[in-house]
Amino acid sequence: MFGRLLARRRAGPDAAAPLPPVPPPAEAPLGGPRASQTEVLVRRLEWTVVRRLDGMLQGDYRTLFRGFGLDLADLREYRPGDDVRHIDWNVTARLQTPHVREFQEDREVAVWFLLDLSGSIDFGSGTVRKRDLLNDFTTVLALLLTRYGNRVGAVFYGGAGEIATSVIPARAGRRQLLHLLDRMQATPAASPGDTRLRDLLERARSVAKRRSVMFVVSDFISAPGWQASLAMLARRHEIVAVRLVDPLEVALPDLGLVVLQDAETGEQMFVDTHDPAFRKRFAAAAEAREAELRQGFARAGVECLTLSTYARLDLALLHFARQRRHRQQGAASGAGAA
């Protein structure tokens, strides 16, 4: 599959401008080499991204990701779009009109990061790899969420056979945050082999007992079968699919003769990117994969946040936050009008 091929790209006039590197803080962090790397990442993102997003993604009492309470607050008539799992069948049978239960929302939520660390995540055609994007996104969201007492946990996918030992239970506090980020930084990419994203989703379903918010961070380059597992997970949890992309995976520029390598299996191909027909077939295969992904997310009822290695993380998160808040306000106004 063309979308799974890794290429070495030379700089040229058609190449997108790489993201400027962010200098590390002057103050040296305490701890060993790995702890120092984690602290540098946290401090850099606190200054460059978190300060801009804080208050936009959530506040003291309102957040884009609400808690799931168990205390019954009220009963009301069913409206189109309500979760059918909240229907009170006893009241519905008595009144002959569908009624749903409303619960008192908790202010704290449990958040899980399902992190795909397969071989293709290490790809990047510029100065930023998809792995760097995964690290930055997880750090920013974990920093924002733990500030308000929310619990964060993670499930790491490191290849077949390694998933059972790669779970961090959801807990609160800065110590938990640093532990999660340290494990994320220390986990190497998977050994060569096909990615089975279904294993990651099934493992998350077994470890998250209570309803939670889950971020599935992956490029979704995987063996088939993960769509059904994602739909099953979305029945119980609030899921956001965070898709990592690189422009070179969508369209190939005219680079002449190059060697393409599958990032997961190591298989190599010698191709002529100067051939317009080859570039057209590559783009068509990428577009077919895009359509398949969109269809899979829609069937599962999962929102998708796309992050590019050539785009700013804070702008992408702000755009996603505005879209999500607009949808929530639209749903609320529609329910009120009904």
Side-chain angles (χ1 to χ4, degrees):
M1 183 170 62
F2 290 116
R4 303 179 62 185
L5 296 179
L6 171 67
R8 293 184 175 274
R9 182 183 186 184
R10 63 186 174 94
D14 297 332
L19 295 176
V22 180
E27 181 182 357
L30 300 176
R34 191 180 300 166
S36 301
Q37 186 180 7
T38 302
E39 287 288 351
V40 167
L41 177 66
V42 170
R43 292 183 183 182
R44 174 175 67 86
L45 292 173
E46 279 182 329
W47 281 100
T48 59
V49 180
V50 173
R51 288 175 178 268
R52 183 174 185 184
L53 296 177
D54 196 13
M56 180 66 184
L57 295 185
Q58 67 177 28
D60 290 338
Y61 299 101
R62 286 293 180 184
T63 174
L64 292 177
F65 307 102
R66 300 178 180 176
F68 312 103
L70 298 177
D71 297 330
L72 181 63
D74 197 3
L75 288 167
R76 62 170 174 79
E77 287 192 14
Y78 174 86
R79 304 189 188 105
D82 287 339
D83 193 335
V84 295
R85 293 172 297 182
H86 295 164
I87 293 178
D88 190 314
W89 295 107
N90 293 329
V91 176
T92 297
R94 187 167 61 250
L95 300 179
Q96 298 298 309
T97 303
H99 278 68
V100 295
R101 298 176 180 176
E102 290 186 328
F103 298 93
Q104 184 68 37
E105 293 177 352
D106 295 331
R107 292 183 182 176
E108 292 80 25
V109 298
V111 180
W112 289 85
F113 294 95
L114 313 185
L115 305 179
D116 173 14
L117 302 179
S118 59
S120 60
I121 295 296
D122 275 337
F123 173 64
S125 60
T127 58
V128 178
R129 302 174 303 158
K130 289 188 286 185
R131 176 67 182 258
D132 301 327
L133 203 56
L134 178 146
N135 292 344
D136 288 358
F137 171 81
T138 305
T139 303
V140 167
L141 265 293
L143 278 169
L144 288 170
L145 292 166
T146 53
R147 285 187 176 187
Y148 298 92
N150 301 305
R151 293 173 289 117
V152 296
V155 181
F156 302 99
Y157 180 81
E162 302 177 21
I163 191 67
T165 59
S166 301
V167 176
I168 297 180
R171 296 189 179 93
R174 187 173 179 83
R175 182 183 296 272
Q176 168 75 357
L177 166 70
L178 295 177
H179 174 56
L180 187 155
L181 299 181
D182 183 53
R183 283 281 301 276
M184 178 182 67
Q185 295 276 353
T187 302
S191 55
D194 288 339
T195 298
R196 296 198 300 268
L197 197 58
R198 177 180 179 180
D199 293 346
L200 174 63
L201 301 174
E202 292 295 333
R203 180 59 175 166
R205 192 153 64 100
S206 66
V207 299
K209 303 300 182 182
R210 299 183 58 184
R211 192 179 182 198
S212 310
V213 175
M214 291 187 173
F215 295 95
V216 185
V217 189
S218 172
D219 55 7
F220 293 92
I221 297 175
S222 169
W226 59 267
Q227 294 89 341
S229 298
L230 182 65
M232 289 291 294
L233 199 63
R235 292 182 182 180
R236 181 175 180 84
H237 306 281
E238 183 176 359
I239 309 294
V240 177
V242 182
R243 187 180 170 218
L244 311 175
V245 300
D246 187 275
L248 202 59
E249 297 173 325
V250 179
L252 278 178
D254 184 358
L255 301 175
L257 297 174
V258 296
V259 176
L260 301 182
Q261 176 178 318
D262 192 308
E264 298 185 347
T265 65
E267 182 181 357
Q268 293 184 343
M269 296 177 59
F270 191 68
V271 299
D272 182 11
T273 60
H274 183 66
D275 183 4
F278 174 77
R279 296 200 307 272
K280 185 176 181 180
R281 292 195 304 270
F282 187 98
E287 179 58 33
R289 180 171 173 268
E290 290 282 335
E292 182 182 2
L293 285 175
R294 288 193 297 266
Q295 187 178 31
F297 293 143
R299 287 180 176 177
V302 169
E303 291 184 273
C304 180
L305 165 61
T306 300
L307 301 178
S308 172
T309 57
Y310 275 66
R312 287 177 51 178
L313 176 62
D314 56 345
L315 296 181
L317 290 176
L318 285 171
H319 179 68
F320 176 75
R322 293 190 183 102
Q323 284 187 325
R324 187 180 177 94
R325 181 167 284 113
H326 179 72
R327 285 192 295 267
Q328 289 179 350
Q329 291 174 348
S333 60

